[in-house]
Amino acid sequence: MLAAQPTSASLYDRVRRVIPPIEWPAFSGDIDAILKLKRERNAVILAHNYQTPEIFHCVADIVGDSLALARKAMAVDADVIVLAGVHFMAETAKLLNPGKTVLIPDLGAGCSLADSITAEDVRLMRERHPGVPIVTYVNTSAAVKAESDICCTSGNALAVVESLGVPRVIMLPDEYLARNIAAQTKVEIIAWKGHCEVHERFTPSDIRELREANPGVTVLAHPECPPEVIAEADFAGSTAAMSDYVGRHKPARVVLMTECSMSDNVAVEHPDVDFVRPCNLCPHMKRITLANIRDALEHDRHAVTIDPEVADRARRAVERMLAI
Ligand code: SF4
């Protein structure tokens, strides 16, 4: 007998804690349409941890941080991949699946880090620091990755930097991630001036005020936050590491200093943990909606293309990272 296909009605229980019943009818029609379109088109949806719960928990097939999405994208057995995330993530999925159709539902879903640096900037850095390897955060365009020696994510940046066995590396483009990694290694790190517009807004006094208002709260922060914020937190790690931390330590009360949807998505998995929710929205991530995912699957919008020569060089930098 065939297993019953999920429907919006069977999925609501999962998100009941974070989506009130009054809001659910606004989502259920699109969810049923997307589930049907996925079957008809042999499509999968990859969703980043910052996607809203109705996307993350109800239509996504693969969820995670940038590293998990890049890894799992390599093994996807589907004709079409819809990337519920931002443009550089869709490019990474395309790099690793050149023969598949990769769709990004909104071409305006960018990233302040990816926009902070161009391929020409990377070439100039290489000229200025001859022989110093260039480690590039995955939050960059394919053209920037193509100029790099190896990629990294916030989850593996330290391992990537130390794997090179050199005294100095250039790490682009996130200044705070570079400084936070520099604090953990003897390798000298030359940074760029890019910042995540979501994480750069957190301050140490935010954490102090939170602790005052919520005695005993555990504070987890993303390494794209400024180093002074990381210094005040109890733990710093990628979105995957923060989620693991909550699962392993089960703090009675926790705050995640990161994008807003992350707490909602982790809260669904841990009903016994109390989430305090000061957070910052990523306007780029929030451009992805159920309506435009449905539209993407109905009309093949918007297919990601990358110049094949650029793609070959960018893929090498991503594959070097995945080999670590
Ligand atoms: S949260 Fe920051 S790093 Fe992530 S997509 Fe938004 S702007 Fe870029």
Side-chain angles (χ1 to χ4, degrees):
M1 205 169 71
L2 287 176
Q5 301 288 351
T7 63
S8 59
S10 66
L11 290 164
Y12 183 58
D13 257 358
R14 195 163 163 67
V15 289
R16 182 180 296 280
R17 211 169 152 245
V18 289
I19 302 180
I22 196 165
E23 288 180 17
W24 188 243
F27 300 132
S28 55
D30 282 331
I31 289 173
D32 285 321
I34 290 167
L35 296 174
K36 184 162 173 276
L37 282 160
K38 284 201 299 180
R39 291 192 292 272
E40 288 169 0
R41 301 216 50 199
N42 188 26
V44 294
I45 297 178
L46 272 55
H48 187 265
N49 290 330
Y50 296 160
Q51 291 297 298
T52 46
E54 69 279 6
I55 295 174
F56 188 90
H57 288 291
C58 299
V59 298
D61 301 280
I62 295 173
V63 295
D65 62 3
S66 305
L67 177 61
L69 294 184
R71 277 209 176 115
K72 292 174 187 169
M74 287 174 85
V76 161
D77 179 21
D79 299 320
V80 179
I81 297 172
V82 180
L83 204 300
V86 295
H87 194 265
F88 75 80
M89 296 176 181
E91 277 195 336
T92 307
K94 182 68 180 174
L95 289 175
L96 299 172
N97 293 274
K100 295 190 170 111
T101 299
V102 176
L103 304 173
I104 176 91
D106 186 326
L107 281 172
C111 168
S112 64
L113 278 170
D115 289 346
S116 74
I117 191 159
T118 65
E120 179 59 19
D121 293 328
V122 187
R123 288 193 287 270
L124 287 172
M125 284 296 272
R126 204 182 274 288
E127 264 176 49
R128 199 172 300 155
H129 304 282
V132 180
I134 298 181
V135 178
T136 293
Y137 196 24
V138 284
N139 297 32
T140 47
S141 66
V144 164
K145 289 184 178 77
E147 299 297 329
S148 315
D149 296 294
I150 187 166
C151 286
C152 74
T153 69
S154 58
N156 65 14
L158 179 63
V160 167
V161 164
E162 297 198 329
S163 75
L164 298 172
V166 293
R168 270 174 115 198
V169 304
I170 297 167
M171 196 170 165
L172 309 170
D174 187 344
E175 181 196 358
Y176 296 145
L177 178 66
R179 284 172 54 193
N180 288 324
I181 297 299
Q184 300 171 56
T185 179
K186 291 196 170 68
V187 180
E188 184 194 340
I189 295 184
I190 301 164
W192 185 252
K193 283 281 175 195
H195 297 144
C196 162
E197 68 189 83
V198 172
H199 293 100
E200 72 174 345
R201 281 184 280 150
F202 291 112
T203 65
S205 60
D206 290 340
I207 298 188
R208 289 195 284 270
E209 281 163 26
L210 273 163
R211 289 198 198 277
E212 240 178 80
N214 303 275
V217 72
T218 301
V219 179
L220 313 185
H222 192 280
E224 287 167 12
C225 293
E228 307 77 52
V229 171
I230 300 296
E232 295 271 341
D234 297 303
F235 172 80
S238 66
T239 55
M242 283 194 262
S243 182
D244 284 354
Y245 184 101
V246 174
R248 262 185 295 116
H249 297 270
K250 296 273 182 204
R253 191 171 252 200
V254 69
V255 58
L256 310 183
M257 309 296 282
T258 187
E259 212 274 343
C260 300
S261 291
M262 175 78 191
S263 291
D264 286 340
N265 291 329
V266 182
V268 166
E269 310 285 350
H270 302 287
D272 44 342
V273 176
D274 181 19
F275 286 78
V276 183
R277 305 193 188 205
C279 60
N280 292 328
L281 272 179
C282 173
H284 311 290
M285 288 281 179
K286 280 355 187 214
R287 293 182 83 114
I288 307 299
T289 62
L290 286 174
N292 61 23
I293 291 174
R294 177 177 179 172
D295 197 49
L297 282 165
E298 279 172 345
H299 304 289
D300 264 345
R301 279 202 275 263
H302 301 269
V304 175
T305 55
I306 307 171
D307 175 90
E309 186 272 329
V310 170
D312 281 347
R313 289 189 288 126
R315 188 179 307 111
R316 277 199 291 275
V318 175
E319 285 175 347
R320 260 181 226 136
M321 167 187 81
L322 294 173
I324 287 176

